[in-house]
Amino acid sequence: MSLNLQDYAKYFSGYTELRAQENRIVQVAFVKGNNTVNSRSATSGISARVYMDGSWGFASNPEISDQAAKAVIQAATDNAIFLDSKERKAKGPLPKVPVRSENDFSTKKPRLAQKELVDFMRELDDHIAATYPNLASRTVALNCLDMEKMLVTSDGSYSYSLVPRTIISISLSFIKDGEPVEFGKPYGGLGHFEDLFSSPEDLFDKVEEQYHHLMKKSEGVFPEAGLKTCVLDAELAGILAHEAIGHTTEADMVLTGSVAQGKVGQLVASPLVTLVDFAHSFNGATCPVPVYVDDEGTEAKDAVLIQDGILKGYMHNKESAGHFGVEPTGNARAYQFSDEPLIRMRNTAILPGTDRLEDMIASIDDGYYLIQPSNGQADSTSEFMFGITLGYEIKNGKLGRAIKDTTISGVAFDMLKTVTMVSSDMKWTNAGMCGKKQPIPVGMGGPAIKCKINIGGR
Amino acid sequence: MANPRQVARSGLDALLKAGADKAQCVATFTEKHELNVELGEFTLLRTTFDARVGLTAIKDNRRGSTSINKSDDESIDKAAGEVLAIAAASAPDEAFDIAESQPPAEFSSGSDSPDLDKMHSSMKHLIQQVKGKYPKLVIMQAIMDFTHSRSCFVNSNNVDFVTNKGVYNCTFLFSSRDEDKVSSFNYTTFSLRDLERDLLECGSLDILFKQSTEQIVTKPLEGKFVGDVIITPDCMNDLLFFIERTLSDGPMISGTSIYKDKLGQQIANPMFTLHSRPVSDEICNGYFVTSDGYAAQNSTIIESGVLKSYLLSLYGARKTGLDRAVNMGGAYVVDPGDTSLDHMIKSVERGILLARFSGGYPSDNGDFSGVAKNSYLIENGEIKYPISESMISGNFAEMLKNIKAISKERIDYGFSILPWIQVSGITISGK
C-alpha cells in the first residue's frame, strides 16, 4: 500500500471511488498425515469505479503504481461514458456521506514462519492419529485470509483497514458397516493466527468432543421427514438470520422483488425475534467481520432488520439508499481489488432472549435438537434451506439418538412466527463465505431458538 | 503486454536458482470485459486485467507453492525464495513430483478480443424479447463477460505449453412477479464462442424463463411418498459434483471414497455414460493443460455404467498406486438416451420434475437431502402444478444405479452437454 491514493483525487471527473487492496492467503492441510497443501498467495491491485447518471464504469489493474492509478481512473470513466451513451438513464447524484477511518486488526505479536504453522498443524494431526486409532481418516486444514484495503472517494472519504481471519478446520471420518461417516467443524475467527491459537493442545478438548459426536453419529438414524418442532442451536440461528432473512432484506434483492418488498412496518416474525446486521460491534465487543467504512466510503451503521417481530428496514448501498430515500447503511463490500462493491451482510444476528437451552429441550416431546450447520441458501420467496451435519432426536424432553446428515427448510416469514423460546446466550461464527457474484467473509450470530421447521429424511 | 512464456521461464529459472530440485511455473494474463444488467437495465461495464504467477518447488521431497499477481522480476525472485522456505517447512513425501517431459505445444480457442457493441446489442435484444414474450419475468441480474487469457506452463522437465483462450460467459438470475406474488428465483449459465445466435436460444434460457412465469403460484406438497424424479440438465451439477469429488484425490488418498475398489465395476445403470471432454470441439469453455502440467485429453469416466477412470492428479496417482487421470474432470458430456422427454414424463406415475435442488452438501456415502425448487408434481404421466415447500432425499450412489431413462434431448452449456435423467426411489416429502 505504498501509493497515497489521495494524490489521485485530482484526476476524478465525476463520482469516483479509487481502491487499492491486497488479499493474502496462507493454507496448510494434512489429509491422513499427508501434507497435501502448503502454500501462500497474495492478490493485489488497484481499481476505480465511476458513476455517471445511473451508469457505472469499473476498471482494475494488478499493479499498484502511479501509472496504474491513472489508467484505472481513465478506463472506469470511459466505461461509464460508454454505458451512459447507450442508456441515457439521467438518474440523479448519489448521497454524499464523507468519512475518514483507519482500523487495523493485525496482531502485535511476532508473526510465525510457515514452518511453525506446519509444525502446529502436524502436531494436531499426530495427536488425532495417536488418540483415535479407529478413525478411517482425518483432515486438519489451516486457512488464513488477510484483507487490506485503502479507499478514497470523490466525496472526500478516506479509509484504511486490515482485517485478518484465521480458521482451523478439523474433519474426522469413521467407517461404519463399510460406509464413511464424517463430522467436521471449524474453529477460529477474527484475528491473526498468533492471537487465536497458542498451542495445539488448546484444541484437544474440542477434538475430543467432535470425536464423541462422530461416534454417536456413526450409530445415527435418518430423521423422519416432515414439519417438526426443533431447537436450533446458536450456530444454526446465525445461519438462519443470514440465509432466511438477511438475503431477502438486502436492498438490491428487495428491488428485484424479494418477499420483504413492501413489508416494512409489518409483523413478519414472533415478537421474540429481533434481528440486526451489526456494522462492527455488539454489546461493546468487536464482531467477527468489523466494517467501519464500507467500500463506497460510507460510515457503516447497524441495520436493524426486525425489531420485536416487525420488519424495520433493509441493508443499503448509496444507490439503493437514494432510491428508498433513506441513509446508506454501509453494506457495500467488495472481495478482491478487481471486484465492485455489492450490498453484502456484515454481522447478522438474532438477539438473545431469556430462556435456558435445557428448558427448551425439556419442553419438546418429539422433535430434534440441531447443532451444526454446513451450507445454506436463500430464495426470493424467503424459502431457505441449510445442511445439518450434527443433531439429535428429542424424545419426551430428553436427547435421544444422533441423526445422519440432513437438510432443514422453511419459509422464513412463516417459520419465524413459530418461534416460542429464545435462549439467553449467544454465539458468533465467521468461518464461512457468503456467495453473491463474489464470495465474502460474513459474521453470523444468535442464541438457540425453538421453532417448527421442515426436516429432510426418510 | 507481458509475455507469459518469458514470465513463466523467469519464474522457473528463479526457483532453480533458489535451490529447487524440481520446479514448475505457470504464468497467466487475463483480460475481462463484463456487462452487468440489473432489473432489466444495464448498470455496469467492468474491465479487469489480472496476472497470476503460480510457483511450485520440490526440494528433498518437500513441496511448497505460492501464487502472486505480479510479473516483474523482483516480485518473482522474492516469491521464488519464499517458495523454497515454504517447501523447507513441509513434511517430506516421495509422492511429490512434477509432470515428465512432453513435446512443447501451443493451444488456442475463441477470439482474442470482445465485440463490446455486439455484447450490448445481444443483451439489449434479449431484454426486449423477454418484455414481449414473458412480461412477468424479472431479470434480477444478467452478466455477460468476454474473458481472454494467455497462459504458459513450464517445468524443469522441459514441459512448455502455451494457451490462448477467449470465451463469452453468460449468467442469468431471474424470478417472476405478479402484483405481490413472487416465484422462486432460478439461474443458469452458459459459455459461447461467439455471439451469432440469439441469447434466448442458448443453453436452457428459454425453457427456464417459461417455467419461471409458471411458478408464481405454487402449491406445497402434502404428505410423503417414494417416487420418480426427472432431473433436468440444470439440476445435474450436484450429482456430477458428487461423482467428481468421490473419484478425486482427497477421498481416494484417505480411503473414504465409496468407489475406491470399483474400477472396472458396474456403479451405474448401463444407460449411463459420462465423459470429460476438455479438449473437444463441442466444448467451447474447456481447458488444455492440467494443473500438474499435462496436456489434457478427453476421457470416459463411466461407460455403460462401468467405472473406467478415477480423477487422480499426479500426486493422487502416486499416493494410491493407481493411474493418473488424463484430465482434471469437468467439461462433462453425458450420452443421450433413447427416450423423449415427453415420453419420460408420461411414464411417471407419481413423482416430480426437479428443476433446481437446494440442499446440504451430500455425505461421503452419497446421502443427500434438500428442497426441490422450481419443480413440478407429476401424476399419472402429466405435469400437474409447480410445487413449493417440498423436500427430497436419497443417495447419489443408489440413484446412479436406479436410472430408469435418459432423454434424447440434451442442453449444450458450452462447458458441458447434459440430458434429462429419470431416477426412481427418491423420498419426496411435503408439509
Side-chain angles (χ1 to χ4, degrees):
Chain A
M1 298 285 169
S2 52
L3 215 58
N4 184 358
L5 298 190
Q6 295 175 95
D7 293 345
Y8 296 87
K10 59 178 176 281
Y11 299 104
F12 298 166
S13 55
Y15 175 89
T16 305
E17 300 151 5
L18 182 66
R19 173 164 45 94
Q21 181 173 341
E22 180 164 82
N23 286 9
R24 295 180 287 274
I25 292 173
V26 177
Q27 291 176 308
V28 176
F30 283 83
V31 177
K32 206 177 181 179
N34 300 296
N35 189 189
T36 54
V37 180
N38 184 22
S39 70
R40 285 176 177 250
S41 69
T43 304
S44 63
I46 193 163
S47 65
R49 191 170 72 142
V50 172
Y51 178 83
M52 192 169 287
D53 296 336
S55 292
W56 291 92
F58 181 96
S60 69
N61 192 302
E63 303 299 327
I64 301 179
S65 66
D66 175 70
Q67 196 183 357
K70 291 174 188 167
V72 295
I73 293 166
Q74 187 59 54
T77 306
D78 291 346
N79 281 348
I81 290 169
F82 173 89
L83 211 49
D84 182 56
S85 72
K86 301 271 187 191
E87 298 299 312
R88 298 287 178 209
K89 292 192 210 169
K91 289 191 179 172
L94 298 170
K96 233 177 166 178
V97 279
V99 62
R100 295 182 73 82
S101 167
E102 290 198 357
N103 290 282
D104 183 350
F105 289 90
S106 56
T107 183
K108 303 294 177 278
K109 297 176 183 169
R111 299 306 312 271
L112 296 180
Q114 186 84 3
K115 182 164 192 329
E116 291 165 292
L117 299 176
V118 172
D119 288 347
F120 183 106
M121 297 303 286
R122 183 166 34 203
E123 195 178 326
L124 182 58
D125 183 68
D126 287 348
H127 166 78
I128 297 171
T131 314
Y132 311 105
N134 61 337
L135 290 178
S137 183
R138 73 272 167 194
T139 299
V140 295
L142 170 67
N143 198 314
C144 312
L145 168 67
D146 284 4
M147 293 177 76
E148 186 178 17
K149 297 178 176 184
M150 187 189 288
L151 172 79
V152 297
T153 73
S154 53
D155 286 355
S157 286
Y158 163 81
S159 80
Y160 169 84
S161 64
L162 199 165
V163 182
R165 183 174 87 156
T166 306
I167 305 291
I168 290 179
S169 302
I170 300 173
S171 181
L172 310 177
S173 284
F174 181 72
I175 301 289
K176 173 74 176 177
D177 299 331
E179 291 204 341
V181 184
E182 187 187 38
F183 179 47
K185 204 166 160 48
Y187 305 97
L190 172 67
H192 276 133
F193 184 96
E194 294 77 1
D195 290 339
L196 296 178
F197 301 104
S198 53
S199 160
E201 285 176 24
D202 297 344
L203 288 163
F204 289 176
D205 284 350
K206 291 181 169 43
V207 175
E208 174 67 23
E209 191 183 341
Q210 208 173 312
Y211 173 79
H212 171 76
H213 283 307
L214 176 68
M215 290 300 108
K216 294 237 175 171
K217 188 176 166 181
S218 71
E219 304 286 340
V221 293
F222 284 112
E224 190 185 339
L227 189 66
K228 300 287 174 190
T229 302
C230 297
V231 173
L232 308 187
D233 204 22
E235 288 194 30
L236 271 83
I239 195 169
L240 179 78
H242 175 96
E243 295 292 352
I245 301 297
H247 279 298
T248 62
T249 54
E250 292 166 333
D252 52 345
M253 295 297 287
V254 174
L255 284 169
T256 58
S258 87
V259 73
Q261 191 179 74
K263 287 205 169 57
V264 170
Q266 293 184 21
L267 190 75
V268 295
S270 153
L272 297 173
V273 176
T274 292
L275 199 155
V276 180
D277 182 57
F278 291 100
H280 46 76
S281 314
F282 168 65
N283 265 355
T286 303
C287 292
V289 181
V291 175
Y292 290 84
V293 174
D294 76 0
D295 294 328
E296 289 183 339
T298 298
E299 182 182 1
K301 294 174 183 161
D302 296 346
V304 178
L305 306 174
I306 295 175
Q307 188 162 26
D308 303 328
I310 293 171
L311 188 69
K312 299 301 278 187
Y314 308 130
M315 289 169 275
H316 290 286
N317 61 11
K318 283 181 179 171
E319 196 172 15
S320 74
H323 176 90
F324 283 94
V326 298
E327 290 286 308
T329 49
N331 282 85
R333 303 175 59 205
Y335 179 55
Q336 295 272 19
F337 77 93
S338 54
D339 289 327
E340 76 279 21
L342 306 174
I343 297 179
R344 306 305 296 262
M345 284 172 258
R346 300 156 308 190
N347 305 279
T348 317
I350 293 175
L351 267 54
T354 55
D355 295 299
R356 293 188 327 143
L357 179 61
E358 308 86 273
D359 297 339
M360 293 165 73
I361 291 168
S363 72
I364 294 174
D365 286 335
D366 183 17
Y368 295 97
Y369 172 46
L370 305 174
I371 302 169
Q372 182 71 34
S374 56
N375 57 319
Q377 193 179 45
D379 199 335
S380 41
T381 58
S382 96
E383 187 177 24
F384 63 90
M385 75 84 204
F386 34 93
I388 302 292
T389 59
L390 184 67
Y392 289 88
E393 294 174 326
I394 303 175
K395 299 286 183 194
N396 302 316
K398 292 193 165 32
L399 293 184
R401 297 171 296 182
I403 57 169
K404 293 175 186 281
D405 289 347
T406 187
T407 303
I408 57 175
S409 72
V411 174
F413 287 167
D414 295 342
M415 174 267 174
L416 284 176
K417 288 176 185 154
T418 71
V419 173
T420 51
M421 297 175 92
V422 179
S423 78
S424 57
D425 55 344
M426 177 150 173
K427 277 187 208 164
W428 284 100
T429 59
N430 80 330
M433 285 286 206
C434 173
K436 180 180 169 185
K437 193 180 179 193
Q438 312 152 17
I440 206 148
V442 287
M444 297 185 251
I449 61 170
K450 179 184 165 189
C451 61
K452 285 191 174 166
I453 201 159
N454 279 326
I455 188 161
R458 300 283 167 96
Chain B
M1 295 283 269
N3 179 324
R5 177 175 274 136
Q6 274 179 5
V7 174
R9 282 263 157 229
S10 60
L12 182 63
D13 291 346
L15 288 167
L16 294 173
K17 200 172 149 192
D21 300 332
K22 297 175 180 179
Q24 69 183 39
C25 181
V26 56
T28 304
F29 295 87
T30 308
E31 180 178 340
K32 179 188 272 195
H33 301 265
E34 181 190 88
L35 258 180
N36 288 253
V37 170
E38 280 177 29
L39 278 176
E41 281 192 358
F42 288 91
T43 52
L44 168 70
L45 175 59
R46 176 170 168 250
T47 307
T48 63
F49 295 89
D50 207 358
R52 177 65 45 195
V53 180
L55 301 137
T56 299
I58 299 170
K59 186 175 173 64
D60 302 330
N61 292 325
R62 296 168 190 269
R63 184 174 70 177
S65 60
T66 194
S67 161
I68 55 173
N69 71 336
K70 304 286 176 280
S71 56
D72 59 281
D73 288 344
E74 189 184 337
S75 300
I76 288 174
D77 284 347
K78 185 175 166 225
E82 282 173 6
V83 173
L84 268 295
I86 294 168
S90 94
D93 191 335
E94 290 186 354
F96 291 142
D97 205 352
I98 58 170
E100 61 268 25
S101 178
Q102 298 155 79
E106 291 204 19
F107 309 99
S108 68
S109 71
S111 0
D112 290 338
S113 58
D115 185 338
L116 267 183
D117 283 317
K118 183 76 178 167
M119 284 171 71
H120 182 267
S121 62
S122 293
M123 191 63 91
K124 189 104 181 167
H125 180 58
L126 176 79
I127 292 166
Q128 291 301 331
Q129 281 179 305
V130 166
K131 277 182 184 159
K133 195 171 178 184
Y134 304 117
K136 290 175 182 166
L137 189 101
V138 181
I139 298 179
M140 299 161 71
Q141 186 179 60
I143 301 169
M144 177 192 280
D145 75 62
F146 174 81
T147 301
H148 185 257
S149 59
R150 299 172 298 123
S151 183
C152 180
F153 190 115
V154 294
N155 77 10
S156 52
N157 285 343
N158 294 320
V159 166
D160 186 333
F161 294 133
V162 171
T163 301
N164 284 292
K165 181 179 153 190
V167 66
Y168 291 94
N169 300 294
C170 300
T171 302
F172 291 86
L173 173 70
F174 48 90
S175 65
S176 293
R177 194 172 178 91
D178 191 5
E179 295 181 350
D180 63 341
K181 291 192 175 65
V182 61
S183 73
S184 279
F185 69 68
N186 204 347
Y187 52 85
T188 190
T189 179
F190 51 85
S191 299
L192 302 167
R193 260 194 192 89
D194 54 49
L195 299 175
E196 294 306 310
R197 283 189 299 155
D198 269 8
L199 293 175
L200 201 54
E201 294 170 8
C202 298
S204 55
L205 204 54
D206 200 25
I207 296 170
L208 297 186
F209 279 0
K210 178 173 178 294
Q211 288 180 346
S212 176
T213 60
E214 295 166 354
Q215 292 161 355
I216 297 172
V217 178
T218 59
K219 286 189 204 172
L221 271 186
E222 298 290 335
K224 180 171 79 172
F225 64 96
V226 175
D228 285 3
V229 168
I230 296 176
I231 304 165
T232 63
D234 277 283
C235 198
M236 199 88 65
N237 271 347
D238 291 276
L239 174 63
L240 294 175
F241 177 72
F242 167 75
I243 295 171
E244 183 179 272
R245 191 187 71 171
T246 309
L247 299 176
S248 295
D249 283 7
M252 289 296 295
I253 292 171
S254 66
T256 56
S257 167
I258 57 170
Y259 296 135
K260 66 179 175 182
D261 303 315
K262 302 286 188 202
L263 197 65
Q265 293 184 33
Q266 199 83 31
I267 63 164
N269 184 286
M271 274 184 273
F272 186 72
T273 294
L274 171 68
H275 311 276
S276 173
R277 291 181 173 158
V279 290
S280 162
D281 281 344
E282 62 191 334
I283 297 290
C284 70
N285 193 3
Y287 55 89
F288 295 99
V289 180
T290 68
S291 59
D292 44 15
Y294 290 92
Q297 299 172 39
N298 296 327
S299 69
T300 298
I301 297 168
I302 299 172
E303 186 171 25
S304 303
V306 174
L307 180 63
K308 293 300 214 181
S309 172
Y310 292 111
L311 288 167
L312 293 167
S313 69
L314 174 63
Y315 175 74
R318 287 171 65 94
K319 288 302 284 187
T320 57
L322 296 163
D323 288 343
R324 182 186 63 80
V326 297
N327 57 44
M328 302 187 291
Y332 292 120
V333 177
V334 174
D335 281 354
D338 54 10
T339 311
S340 71
L341 176 59
D342 268 355
H343 188 79
M344 201 183 262
I345 293 167
K346 284 194 177 79
S347 75
V348 176
E349 195 177 319
R350 196 170 186 217
I352 59 172
L353 177 72
L354 183 70
R356 178 161 76 91
F357 175 73
S358 177
Y361 295 129
S363 305
D364 286 350
N365 71 349
D367 284 344
F368 69 88
S369 62
V371 184
K373 294 275 191 182
N374 309 92
S375 299
Y376 295 83
L377 176 69
I378 307 172
E379 273 182 339
N380 302 317
E382 282 182 19
I383 290 182
K384 292 293 182 187
Y385 51 81
I387 55 174
S388 56
E389 297 184 67
S390 307
M391 299 190 77
I392 59 168
S393 65
N395 178 285
F396 281 128
E398 290 302 312
M399 206 162 90
L400 282 172
K401 293 176 189 162
N402 292 338
I403 291 173
K404 286 172 86 172
I406 295 180
S407 71
K408 292 177 184 170
E409 302 92 333
R410 293 190 299 174
I411 299 287
D412 179 355
Y413 296 98
F415 50 80
S416 62
I417 302 172
L418 305 171
W420 282 254
I421 294 185
Q422 182 181 357
V423 298
S424 60
I426 304 296
T427 302
I428 301 162
S429 59
K431 281 186 133 176

